[in-house]
Amino acid sequence: SYVVRNTGNDPASAYFGEELRLVDTTGVHPTQVLGTTWAFRSLAAGASLTQSVTVAVPALPPGAWRLEVVADRGNFVTEG
């Protein structure tokens, strides 16, 4: 699970997309996308929501892997 926060001063109403991925910090192996969630949401200024997802992690070669969540995957949230 992870938390999505609106740290801005204005409400955000948009189509939100978050992408979960594993990134090899050495740059040797390609990024592995584990899943993407999409939903229209409204978040007041300062509000947050917890998103829980279940993913299957593929077999990966040894390395220095980092789990990342990319917020606003589709760039639909307007920022001023």
Side-chain angles (χ1 to χ4, degrees), residues 10-41:
D10 295 320
S13 289
Y15 199 56
F16 283 69
E18 293 102 33
E19 181 179 86
L20 282 81
R21 63 189 188 182
L22 289 169
V23 176
D24 177 12
T25 60
T26 65
V28 174
H29 305 290
T31 297
Q32 301 291 313
V33 176
L34 302 176
T36 306
T37 61
W38 295 96
F40 187 88
R41 299 186 185 123

Side-chain angles (χ1 to χ4, degrees), residues 60-80:
L60 299 169
W65 294 94
R66 175 179 60 224
L67 178 63
E68 294 182 350
V69 178
V70 178
D72 193 19
R73 179 66 179 101
N75 295 318
F76 294 112
V77 179
T78 303
E79 299 182 36

